[in-house]
Amino acid sequence: MSEPTTTGRLFRTTAIKLALIYLAALTLASGAVLVYLSQNTATVLRDQVVDTVDAEISGLADQYRIGGIRALVAAVDARSRRPGASLYLVTDFAANQLVGNIEQLDDRVLAGESGELQRVMYTPIGGGARREALVRVFQLSGGFRLLVGRDLQEQQYFRSLLAEAMRFWLFVLAALGLITWVFVSRRVLKRIDAMTATSRRIMSGDLTERLPVEGSGDEFDRLAIGLNAMLTRIEVLMQGLKDVSDNIAHDLKTPLTRMRNRLEEALRGDLAGDSKARAVLETTIEDCDALIRTFNALLRIARVEAGSSDASFGDIDVSALVREVGELYAPVAEDDGGGMELRVADGLTVTGNRELLVQALINLVENALKYARQEAGEGARVELEARMEGGDVLLGVRDHGPGIADADKERVLHRFVRLEASRSAPGSGLGLSLVAAVARLHHGRLELADAEPGLAARLWLPAAGRDGEGRPAGGD
Protein backbone atom coordinates (compact mmCIF):
# COMPACT_ATOMS: atom_id res chain seq x y z
CA MET A 1 0.00 0.00 0.00
CA SER A 2 1.48 3.37 -1.01
CA GLU A 3 2.10 6.11 1.55
CA PRO A 4 -0.53 8.88 1.71
CA THR A 5 0.45 12.33 0.44
CA THR A 6 0.84 15.35 2.73
CA THR A 7 -2.62 16.55 1.70
CA GLY A 8 -4.03 13.08 2.35
CA ARG A 9 -2.51 13.01 5.84
CA LEU A 10 -3.89 16.51 6.52
CA PHE A 11 -7.45 15.51 5.67
CA ARG A 12 -7.15 12.37 7.81
CA THR A 13 -6.46 14.40 10.97
CA THR A 14 -9.17 14.89 13.55
CA ALA A 15 -8.58 18.64 13.56
CA ILE A 16 -9.39 19.19 9.89
CA LYS A 17 -12.36 16.81 10.12
CA LEU A 18 -13.82 18.72 13.08
CA ALA A 19 -13.19 22.05 11.36
CA LEU A 20 -14.91 20.87 8.17
CA ILE A 21 -17.84 19.41 10.13
CA TYR A 22 -18.31 22.66 12.08
CA LEU A 23 -17.96 24.72 8.91
CA ALA A 24 -20.46 22.59 6.99
CA ALA A 25 -22.98 22.58 9.84
CA LEU A 26 -22.76 26.33 10.41
CA THR A 27 -22.89 27.03 6.67
CA LEU A 28 -26.00 24.91 6.20
CA ALA A 29 -27.71 26.45 9.23
CA SER A 30 -26.78 30.00 8.23
CA GLY A 31 -27.76 29.38 4.62
CA ALA A 32 -31.14 28.05 5.69
CA VAL A 33 -31.74 31.10 7.91
CA LEU A 34 -30.67 33.55 5.21
CA VAL A 35 -32.76 31.82 2.54
CA TYR A 36 -35.77 31.86 4.87
CA LEU A 37 -35.26 35.55 5.64
CA SER A 38 -34.70 36.39 1.98
CA GLN A 39 -37.80 34.56 0.77
CA ASN A 40 -40.04 35.92 3.49
CA THR A 41 -38.69 39.46 3.10
CA ALA A 42 -39.18 39.29 -0.66
CA THR A 43 -42.77 38.11 -0.08
CA VAL A 44 -43.42 40.93 2.38
CA LEU A 45 -41.95 43.54 0.02
CA ARG A 46 -43.92 42.20 -2.92
CA ASP A 47 -47.12 42.33 -0.87
CA GLN A 48 -46.31 45.92 0.08
CA VAL A 49 -45.79 46.80 -3.59
CA VAL A 50 -49.10 45.19 -4.55
CA ASP A 51 -50.89 46.97 -1.73
CA THR A 52 -49.34 50.31 -2.74
CA VAL A 53 -50.25 49.80 -6.42
CA ASP A 54 -53.81 48.81 -5.52
CA ALA A 55 -54.17 51.87 -3.27
CA GLU A 56 -52.89 54.15 -6.07
CA ILE A 57 -55.31 52.57 -8.50
CA SER A 58 -58.20 53.03 -6.11
CA GLY A 59 -57.43 56.74 -5.73
CA LEU A 60 -57.00 57.31 -9.46
CA ALA A 61 -60.18 55.36 -10.17
CA ASP A 62 -62.06 57.80 -7.95
CA GLN A 63 -60.53 60.74 -9.84
CA TYR A 64 -61.55 59.21 -13.18
CA ARG A 65 -65.05 58.46 -12.00
CA ILE A 66 -65.59 61.99 -10.70
CA GLY A 67 -63.84 64.15 -13.34
CA GLY A 68 -63.28 61.88 -16.30
CA ILE A 69 -60.10 61.69 -18.35
CA ARG A 70 -59.14 65.33 -17.70
CA ALA A 71 -59.20 64.82 -13.96
CA LEU A 72 -57.29 61.54 -14.30
CA VAL A 73 -54.56 63.15 -16.44
CA ALA A 74 -54.20 66.01 -13.98
CA ALA A 75 -53.94 63.63 -11.03
CA VAL A 76 -51.41 61.38 -12.80
CA ASP A 77 -49.34 64.40 -13.86
CA ALA A 78 -49.20 65.64 -10.28
CA ARG A 79 -48.22 62.28 -8.88
CA SER A 80 -45.63 61.68 -11.60
CA ARG A 81 -43.72 64.76 -10.52
CA ARG A 82 -43.36 63.54 -6.96
CA PRO A 83 -40.10 61.77 -6.04
CA GLY A 84 -40.47 58.08 -5.25
CA ALA A 85 -40.72 54.64 -6.78
CA SER A 86 -44.30 54.87 -8.06
CA LEU A 87 -44.86 54.61 -11.83
CA TYR A 88 -47.74 56.08 -13.83
CA LEU A 89 -48.72 56.15 -17.47
CA VAL A 90 -51.90 57.13 -19.36
CA THR A 91 -52.25 56.47 -23.10
CA ASP A 92 -54.98 57.06 -25.66
CA PHE A 93 -56.58 54.57 -28.03
CA ALA A 94 -53.55 54.85 -30.39
CA ALA A 95 -51.08 54.08 -27.53
CA ASN A 96 -49.85 57.69 -27.51
CA GLN A 97 -48.57 58.77 -24.10
CA LEU A 98 -50.70 61.49 -22.54
CA VAL A 99 -48.99 61.77 -19.19
CA GLY A 100 -46.66 59.72 -16.94
CA ASN A 101 -43.10 59.17 -15.78
CA ILE A 102 -42.24 56.27 -18.08
CA GLU A 103 -40.29 57.07 -21.23
CA GLN A 104 -40.25 53.68 -22.92
CA LEU A 105 -42.21 50.48 -22.37
CA ASP A 106 -42.86 47.34 -24.39
CA ASP A 107 -46.16 47.68 -26.32
CA ARG A 108 -47.16 44.15 -25.27
CA VAL A 109 -47.47 45.32 -21.69
CA LEU A 110 -50.30 47.73 -22.52
CA ALA A 111 -51.99 45.07 -24.65
CA GLY A 112 -52.17 42.63 -21.75
CA GLU A 113 -55.26 41.59 -19.85
CA SER A 114 -56.83 44.41 -17.82
CA GLY A 115 -55.86 44.34 -14.14
CA GLU A 116 -53.17 41.66 -14.54
CA LEU A 117 -50.08 42.06 -12.33
CA GLN A 118 -46.99 42.08 -14.55
CA ARG A 119 -43.22 42.22 -14.03
CA VAL A 120 -41.82 44.43 -16.79
CA MET A 121 -38.71 46.32 -17.89
CA TYR A 122 -39.02 50.07 -18.53
CA THR A 123 -36.98 53.21 -19.14
CA PRO A 124 -37.72 56.16 -16.80
CA ILE A 125 -38.25 59.74 -17.94
CA GLY A 126 -34.92 61.32 -18.79
CA GLY A 127 -33.42 58.06 -20.04
CA GLY A 128 -30.88 55.95 -18.27
CA ALA A 129 -30.59 52.22 -17.66
CA ARG A 130 -33.64 50.02 -17.98
CA ARG A 131 -35.22 49.02 -14.69
CA GLU A 132 -37.57 46.35 -13.46
CA ALA A 133 -41.03 47.16 -12.13
CA LEU A 134 -44.28 45.50 -11.02
CA VAL A 135 -47.33 47.08 -12.77
CA ARG A 136 -51.05 46.76 -13.41
CA VAL A 137 -52.68 48.02 -16.64
CA PHE A 138 -56.39 48.92 -16.82
CA GLN A 139 -58.53 49.47 -19.92
CA LEU A 140 -60.67 52.63 -19.60
CA SER A 141 -63.64 53.71 -21.67
CA GLY A 142 -62.80 55.51 -24.86
CA GLY A 143 -59.75 53.31 -25.48
CA PHE A 144 -57.68 54.94 -22.77
CA ARG A 145 -55.24 52.83 -20.73
CA LEU A 146 -53.98 53.47 -17.24
CA LEU A 147 -50.73 51.91 -15.91
CA VAL A 148 -49.85 52.06 -12.25
CA GLY A 149 -46.76 50.33 -10.86
CA ARG A 150 -43.82 50.31 -8.51
CA ASP A 151 -40.11 50.32 -9.26
CA LEU A 152 -38.33 47.22 -7.86
CA GLN A 153 -34.89 48.78 -7.53
CA GLU A 154 -35.22 48.93 -3.75
CA GLN A 155 -36.01 45.21 -3.58
CA GLN A 156 -33.05 44.42 -5.82
CA TYR A 157 -30.81 46.53 -3.62
CA PHE A 158 -32.08 44.65 -0.57
CA ARG A 159 -31.35 41.32 -2.25
CA SER A 160 -27.81 42.48 -3.04
CA LEU A 161 -27.37 43.40 0.62
CA LEU A 162 -28.51 39.91 1.63
CA ALA A 163 -26.10 38.33 -0.87
CA GLU A 164 -23.26 40.49 0.44
CA ALA A 165 -24.18 39.52 4.01
CA MET A 166 -24.16 35.84 2.97
CA ARG A 167 -20.68 36.17 1.45
CA PHE A 168 -19.41 37.98 4.52
CA TRP A 169 -20.90 35.34 6.83
CA LEU A 170 -19.31 32.55 4.81
CA PHE A 171 -15.97 34.31 5.22
CA VAL A 172 -16.60 34.52 8.98
CA LEU A 173 -17.47 30.81 9.06
CA ALA A 174 -14.31 29.92 7.17
CA ALA A 175 -12.30 31.98 9.67
CA LEU A 176 -14.06 30.22 12.57
CA GLY A 177 -13.28 26.84 10.98
CA LEU A 178 -9.62 27.83 10.60
CA ILE A 179 -9.46 29.01 14.22
CA THR A 180 -11.05 25.71 15.34
CA TRP A 181 -8.53 23.74 13.31
CA VAL A 182 -5.58 25.69 14.72
CA PHE A 183 -6.87 25.28 18.27
CA VAL A 184 -7.49 21.54 17.94
CA SER A 185 -4.19 21.02 16.11
CA ARG A 186 -2.08 22.83 18.67
CA ARG A 187 -3.92 21.96 21.85
CA VAL A 188 -5.52 18.58 21.29
CA LEU A 189 -3.55 16.86 18.53
CA LYS A 190 -0.28 17.92 20.11
CA ARG A 191 -1.17 15.88 23.17
CA ILE A 192 -2.42 12.98 21.06
CA ASP A 193 0.85 13.00 19.05
CA ALA A 194 2.83 12.96 22.32
CA MET A 195 0.81 9.97 23.52
CA THR A 196 1.30 8.22 20.17
CA ALA A 197 5.08 8.74 20.28
CA THR A 198 5.22 7.42 23.84
CA SER A 199 3.09 4.41 22.85
CA ARG A 200 5.49 3.55 20.04
CA ARG A 201 8.44 3.63 22.42
CA ILE A 202 6.52 1.37 24.81
CA MET A 203 5.70 -1.05 21.97
CA SER A 204 9.39 -1.15 21.07
CA GLY A 205 10.01 -2.69 24.50
CA ASP A 206 10.75 0.32 26.72
CA LEU A 207 8.17 -0.28 29.44
CA THR A 208 9.62 2.50 31.59
CA GLU A 209 8.00 5.13 29.36
CA ARG A 210 4.86 6.88 30.63
CA LEU A 211 2.23 9.05 28.94
CA PRO A 212 2.63 12.79 29.65
CA VAL A 213 0.33 14.38 32.26
CA GLU A 214 -0.02 18.18 32.18
CA GLY A 215 -1.88 18.49 35.46
CA SER A 216 -4.95 20.22 34.00
CA GLY A 217 -7.25 17.40 35.12
CA ASP A 218 -8.96 17.19 31.72
CA GLU A 219 -9.97 14.03 29.84
CA PHE A 220 -6.47 13.53 28.44
CA ASP A 221 -4.92 13.73 31.91
CA ARG A 222 -7.41 11.21 33.29
CA LEU A 223 -6.74 8.90 30.33
CA ALA A 224 -2.97 9.24 30.76
CA ILE A 225 -3.15 8.57 34.52
CA GLY A 226 -5.22 5.42 33.97
CA LEU A 227 -2.94 4.13 31.19
CA ASN A 228 0.18 4.90 33.23
CA ALA A 229 -1.21 2.86 36.10
CA MET A 230 -1.90 0.03 33.67
CA LEU A 231 1.64 0.31 32.23
CA THR A 232 3.12 0.12 35.72
CA ARG A 233 1.18 -3.06 36.35
CA ILE A 234 2.24 -4.48 32.97
CA GLU A 235 5.87 -3.64 33.70
CA VAL A 236 5.66 -5.52 36.99
CA LEU A 237 4.06 -8.52 35.24
CA MET A 238 6.64 -8.49 32.44
CA GLN A 239 9.46 -8.35 34.95
CA GLY A 240 7.85 -11.29 36.73
CA LEU A 241 7.64 -13.14 33.39
CA LYS A 242 11.30 -12.43 32.73
CA ASP A 243 12.23 -13.68 36.20
CA VAL A 244 10.20 -16.86 35.66
CA SER A 245 11.83 -17.35 32.26
CA ASP A 246 15.28 -16.92 33.76
CA ASN A 247 14.40 -19.34 36.54
CA ILE A 248 13.20 -21.90 34.01
CA ALA A 249 16.39 -21.48 32.03
CA HIS A 250 18.49 -21.90 35.17
CA ASP A 251 16.50 -24.52 37.08
CA LEU A 252 15.42 -26.79 34.22
CA LYS A 253 17.61 -26.24 31.19
CA THR A 254 20.87 -26.35 33.15
CA PRO A 255 20.12 -29.72 34.86
CA LEU A 256 19.05 -31.11 31.49
CA THR A 257 22.35 -30.00 29.95
CA ARG A 258 24.30 -31.57 32.79
CA MET A 259 22.33 -34.82 32.44
CA ARG A 260 23.05 -34.84 28.70
CA ASN A 261 26.75 -34.32 29.32
CA ARG A 262 26.85 -37.22 31.80
CA LEU A 263 25.06 -39.45 29.25
CA GLU A 264 27.66 -38.52 26.64
CA GLU A 265 30.42 -39.42 29.08
CA ALA A 266 28.76 -42.78 29.70
CA LEU A 267 28.38 -43.26 25.95
CA ARG A 268 32.09 -42.66 25.48
CA GLY A 269 32.83 -45.39 28.07
CA ASP A 270 33.43 -49.08 27.37
CA LEU A 271 30.07 -50.14 25.82
CA ALA A 272 31.45 -52.05 22.89
CA GLY A 273 29.76 -55.24 23.93
CA ASP A 274 26.45 -53.73 24.95
CA SER A 275 24.75 -52.35 21.85
CA LYS A 276 21.40 -52.12 23.64
CA ALA A 277 22.74 -49.84 26.34
CA ARG A 278 24.44 -47.66 23.68
CA ALA A 279 21.14 -47.34 21.79
CA VAL A 280 19.31 -46.34 25.00
CA LEU A 281 21.91 -43.72 25.82
CA GLU A 282 21.84 -42.28 22.28
CA THR A 283 18.04 -42.09 22.34
CA THR A 284 18.09 -40.42 25.77
CA ILE A 285 20.62 -37.84 24.53
CA GLU A 286 18.39 -37.07 21.55
CA ASP A 287 15.44 -36.58 23.92
CA CYS A 288 17.50 -34.23 26.06
CA ASP A 289 18.49 -32.24 22.95
CA ALA A 290 14.83 -32.00 21.93
CA LEU A 291 13.84 -30.76 25.40
CA ILE A 292 16.63 -28.18 25.41
CA ARG A 293 15.57 -26.95 21.94
CA THR A 294 11.97 -26.70 23.18
CA PHE A 295 13.04 -24.64 26.21
CA ASN A 296 15.11 -22.37 23.99
CA ALA A 297 12.19 -21.87 21.57
CA LEU A 298 9.73 -21.15 24.38
CA LEU A 299 12.06 -18.63 25.99
CA ARG A 300 12.71 -16.88 22.69
CA ILE A 301 8.99 -16.72 21.78
CA ALA A 302 8.12 -15.33 25.23
CA ARG A 303 10.79 -12.64 25.01
CA VAL A 304 9.90 -11.71 21.42
CA GLU A 305 6.19 -11.43 22.22
CA ALA A 306 7.02 -9.35 25.31
CA GLY A 307 9.13 -7.00 23.19
CA SER A 308 12.09 -7.64 25.44
CA SER A 309 14.25 -9.81 23.24
CA ASP A 310 17.27 -7.52 23.84
CA ALA A 311 17.66 -7.44 20.07
CA SER A 312 19.06 -4.37 18.33
CA PHE A 313 17.25 -3.01 15.27
CA GLY A 314 18.74 -1.56 12.14
CA ASP A 315 18.42 -1.52 8.36
CA ILE A 316 18.82 -5.02 6.89
CA ASP A 317 19.52 -6.03 3.29
CA VAL A 318 16.78 -8.63 2.98
CA SER A 319 17.84 -9.58 -0.55
CA ALA A 320 21.26 -10.74 0.70
CA LEU A 321 19.71 -12.41 3.76
CA VAL A 322 17.31 -14.51 1.67
CA ARG A 323 20.07 -15.51 -0.75
CA GLU A 324 22.26 -16.66 2.17
CA VAL A 325 19.47 -18.83 3.59
CA GLY A 326 18.73 -20.22 0.14
CA GLU A 327 22.38 -21.11 -0.48
CA LEU A 328 22.56 -22.72 2.97
CA TYR A 329 19.58 -25.03 2.43
CA ALA A 330 19.89 -25.70 -1.33
CA PRO A 331 22.30 -28.64 -0.72
CA VAL A 332 19.85 -30.09 1.82
CA ALA A 333 17.07 -30.07 -0.76
CA GLU A 334 19.37 -31.53 -3.41
CA ASP A 335 20.47 -34.33 -1.07
CA ASP A 336 16.79 -35.30 -0.78
CA GLY A 337 16.53 -35.54 -4.55
CA GLY A 338 14.73 -32.21 -4.87
CA GLY A 339 15.84 -28.64 -5.28
CA MET A 340 15.39 -25.03 -4.21
CA GLU A 341 14.37 -22.23 -6.56
CA LEU A 342 15.31 -18.63 -5.64
CA ARG A 343 13.50 -15.55 -6.93
CA VAL A 344 14.96 -12.56 -5.09
CA ALA A 345 14.63 -8.92 -6.11
CA ASP A 346 17.57 -6.60 -5.46
CA GLY A 347 17.62 -3.67 -3.06
CA LEU A 348 15.06 -4.92 -0.52
CA THR A 349 15.61 -3.31 2.90
CA VAL A 350 13.68 -3.53 6.16
CA THR A 351 14.29 -2.18 9.65
CA GLY A 352 14.55 -4.99 12.18
CA ASN A 353 16.75 -7.55 13.87
CA ARG A 354 18.78 -9.72 11.51
CA GLU A 355 19.11 -12.70 13.87
CA LEU A 356 15.35 -12.94 14.45
CA LEU A 357 14.52 -12.57 10.75
CA VAL A 358 17.07 -15.25 9.83
CA GLN A 359 15.58 -17.59 12.45
CA ALA A 360 12.04 -16.94 11.16
CA LEU A 361 13.05 -17.59 7.54
CA ILE A 362 14.98 -20.75 8.53
CA ASN A 363 11.91 -22.06 10.37
CA LEU A 364 9.76 -21.56 7.26
CA VAL A 365 12.32 -23.22 4.98
CA GLU A 366 12.81 -26.20 7.33
CA ASN A 367 9.04 -26.69 7.58
CA ALA A 368 8.78 -26.61 3.79
CA LEU A 369 11.60 -29.14 3.38
CA LYS A 370 10.17 -31.45 6.03
CA TYR A 371 6.60 -31.61 4.77
CA ALA A 372 7.45 -31.48 1.07
CA ARG A 373 9.78 -34.42 1.69
CA GLN A 374 6.94 -36.40 3.26
CA GLU A 375 4.61 -35.99 0.28
CA ALA A 376 6.77 -35.78 -2.85
CA GLY A 377 8.27 -39.06 -3.93
CA GLU A 378 10.76 -37.37 -6.28
CA GLY A 379 12.20 -35.16 -3.54
CA ALA A 380 11.40 -31.90 -1.82
CA ARG A 381 10.99 -28.90 -4.11
CA VAL A 382 10.94 -25.54 -2.34
CA GLU A 383 10.53 -22.06 -3.83
CA LEU A 384 11.98 -19.08 -1.95
CA GLU A 385 11.17 -15.53 -3.07
CA ALA A 386 11.61 -11.93 -1.90
CA ARG A 387 9.99 -8.94 -3.59
CA MET A 388 8.26 -5.62 -3.02
CA GLU A 389 4.47 -5.53 -3.03
CA GLY A 390 2.89 -2.16 -2.33
CA GLY A 391 4.84 -0.61 0.52
CA ASP A 392 5.84 -3.95 2.05
CA VAL A 393 8.59 -6.52 1.54
CA LEU A 394 7.22 -10.00 0.91
CA LEU A 395 9.27 -13.07 1.91
CA GLY A 396 7.62 -16.20 0.53
CA VAL A 397 8.37 -19.91 1.01
CA ARG A 398 6.38 -22.44 -1.01
CA ASP A 399 6.50 -26.23 -0.91
CA HIS A 400 4.74 -28.89 -2.98
CA GLY A 401 3.60 -31.02 -0.08
CA PRO A 402 0.12 -31.80 1.28
CA GLY A 403 -0.58 -28.26 2.47
CA ILE A 404 -2.79 -27.26 5.41
CA ALA A 405 -6.59 -27.21 5.52
CA ASP A 406 -8.22 -23.77 5.77
CA ALA A 407 -9.67 -24.63 9.18
CA ASP A 408 -6.16 -25.30 10.56
CA LYS A 409 -4.24 -22.33 9.10
CA GLU A 410 -4.90 -20.09 12.10
CA ARG A 411 -4.55 -22.88 14.66
CA VAL A 412 -1.05 -23.96 13.57
CA LEU A 413 0.30 -20.54 14.56
CA HIS A 414 -0.36 -21.35 18.23
CA ARG A 415 2.22 -23.04 20.43
CA PHE A 416 2.56 -26.84 20.49
CA VAL A 417 -0.09 -27.30 17.77
CA ARG A 418 0.77 -30.21 15.49
CA LEU A 419 -1.58 -31.63 12.87
CA GLU A 420 -2.34 -35.34 12.72
CA ALA A 421 -0.32 -35.83 9.53
CA SER A 422 2.86 -34.46 11.17
CA ARG A 423 2.71 -36.04 14.62
CA SER A 424 5.15 -38.78 13.61
CA ALA A 425 7.68 -36.22 12.32
CA PRO A 426 10.26 -34.63 14.63
CA GLY A 427 9.42 -31.21 16.03
CA SER A 428 7.66 -29.45 18.89
CA GLY A 429 5.04 -27.31 17.13
CA LEU A 430 6.80 -24.05 18.00
CA GLY A 431 8.35 -23.07 14.65
CA LEU A 432 5.41 -21.16 13.17
CA SER A 433 4.65 -19.62 16.59
CA LEU A 434 8.11 -18.08 16.62
CA VAL A 435 7.71 -16.80 13.03
CA ALA A 436 4.37 -15.18 13.91
CA ALA A 437 5.91 -13.56 17.03
CA VAL A 438 8.83 -12.18 14.99
CA ALA A 439 6.38 -10.80 12.39
CA ARG A 440 4.37 -9.01 15.09
CA LEU A 441 7.55 -7.56 16.65
CA HIS A 442 8.43 -6.05 13.23
CA HIS A 443 4.85 -4.79 12.67
CA GLY A 444 4.43 -7.35 9.92
CA ARG A 445 2.25 -10.41 9.52
CA LEU A 446 2.49 -14.10 8.65
CA GLU A 447 0.03 -15.45 6.11
CA LEU A 448 -0.51 -19.09 5.17
CA ALA A 449 -2.14 -19.73 1.79
CA ASP A 450 -2.83 -22.65 -0.53
CA ALA A 451 -0.14 -23.13 -3.19
CA GLU A 452 -2.15 -25.82 -5.05
CA PRO A 453 -0.35 -28.07 -4.41
CA GLY A 454 1.43 -27.38 -1.17
CA LEU A 455 1.57 -24.46 1.24
CA ALA A 456 2.71 -20.89 0.59
CA ALA A 457 3.97 -19.14 3.72
CA ARG A 458 4.22 -15.36 3.24
CA LEU A 459 5.97 -13.08 5.69
CA TRP A 460 5.07 -9.40 5.14
CA LEU A 461 7.42 -6.76 6.57
CA PRO A 462 7.24 -2.96 6.27
CA ALA A 463 9.96 -1.58 4.02
CA ALA A 464 12.67 0.51 5.67
CA GLY A 465 11.80 4.18 6.02
CA ARG A 466 8.07 3.73 6.52
CA ASP A 467 6.63 5.65 9.46
CA GLY A 468 3.40 5.50 11.42
CA GLU A 469 1.85 2.08 11.70
CA GLY A 470 4.39 0.59 9.31
CA ARG A 471 7.48 1.45 11.36
CA PRO A 472 9.00 -1.57 13.03
CA ALA A 473 9.28 -1.59 16.80
CA GLY A 474 12.59 -0.49 18.03
CA GLY A 475 13.24 1.80 15.10
CA ASP A 476 14.35 5.33 15.67
Side-chain angles (χ1 to χ4, degrees), residues 244-418:
V244 170
S245 300
D246 292 341
N247 290 335
I248 290 176
H250 182 270
D251 296 338
L252 293 179
K253 196 174 77 170
T254 302
L256 275 173
T257 304
R258 290 174 179 170
M259 181 175 67
R260 181 189 182 283
N261 293 336
R262 286 195 294 269
L263 291 172
E264 280 192 338
E265 289 179 6
L267 187 62
R268 286 194 295 268
D270 187 11
L271 296 175
D274 195 346
S275 59
K276 185 176 181 180
R278 178 176 291 276
V280 169
L281 289 176
E282 290 175 347
T283 303
T284 305
I285 290 175
E286 291 177 0
D287 291 340
C288 288
D289 289 338
L291 284 173
I292 292 172
R293 286 194 298 270
T294 300
F295 276 121
N296 290 335
L298 281 172
L299 290 173
R300 170 155 265 183
I301 291 173
R303 292 187 175 182
V304 168
E305 289 182 338
S308 58
S309 60
D310 298 327
S312 60
F313 280 72
D315 288 347
I316 301 169
D317 184 353
V318 178
S319 302
L321 184 150
V322 173
R323 289 191 179 99
E324 290 174 8
V325 174
E327 292 171 1
L328 177 65
Y329 281 89
V332 178
E334 292 171 0
D335 289 344
D336 266 353
M340 178 170 292
E341 179 183 350
L342 287 177
R343 294 192 301 273
V344 182
D346 293 326
L348 302 179
T349 307
V350 301
T351 302
N353 177 261
R354 180 180 177 86
E355 180 185 356
L356 292 177
L357 292 178
V358 168
Q359 184 63 59
L361 192 58
I362 285 176
N363 284 7
L364 294 178
V365 172
E366 288 183 348
N367 272 0
L369 289 172
K370 179 166 59 177
Y371 295 113
R373 183 188 308 131
Q374 287 182 339
E375 183 73 7
E378 71 280 5
R381 290 189 300 117
V382 176
E383 299 171 13
L384 184 58
E385 67 170 339
R387 58 185 170 86
M388 285 290 296
E389 186 163 317
D392 295 328
V393 174
L394 170 62
L395 307 182
V397 179
R398 176 191 171 182
D399 62 58
H400 293 263
I404 298 176
D406 291 339
D408 295 325
K409 286 190 174 75
E410 185 68 26
R411 194 166 65 90
V412 294
L413 300 181
H414 299 162
R415 301 180 191 181
F416 297 111
V417 173
R418 306 190 69 197

Side-chain angles (χ1 to χ4, degrees), residues 133-209:
L134 201 62
V135 303
R136 289 188 193 273
V137 178
F138 291 91
Q139 299 287 341
L140 305 177
S141 58
F144 296 102
R145 296 182 180 86
L146 168 64
L147 180 147
V148 179
R150 189 80 175 176
D151 190 282
L152 298 179
Q153 189 174 14
E154 293 179 354
Q155 290 190 30
Q156 293 170 348
Y157 178 69
F158 179 75
R159 290 196 191 96
S160 68
L161 286 179
L162 283 178
E164 185 68 24
M166 182 65 178
R167 287 192 292 270
F168 175 75
W169 182 239
L170 289 178
F171 172 78
V172 171
L173 289 180
L176 289 174
L178 179 62
I179 292 172
T180 302
W181 173 53
V182 172
F183 173 78
V184 174
S185 295
R186 293 189 176 181
R187 299 287 299 176
V188 178
L189 291 186
K190 183 179 179 182
R191 300 192 64 182
I192 293 176
D193 290 340
M195 289 184 174
T196 302
T198 304
S199 299
R200 286 174 179 163
R201 291 193 293 271
I202 293 171
M203 288 188 295
S204 70
D206 186 4
L207 294 180
T208 61
E209 285 284 347

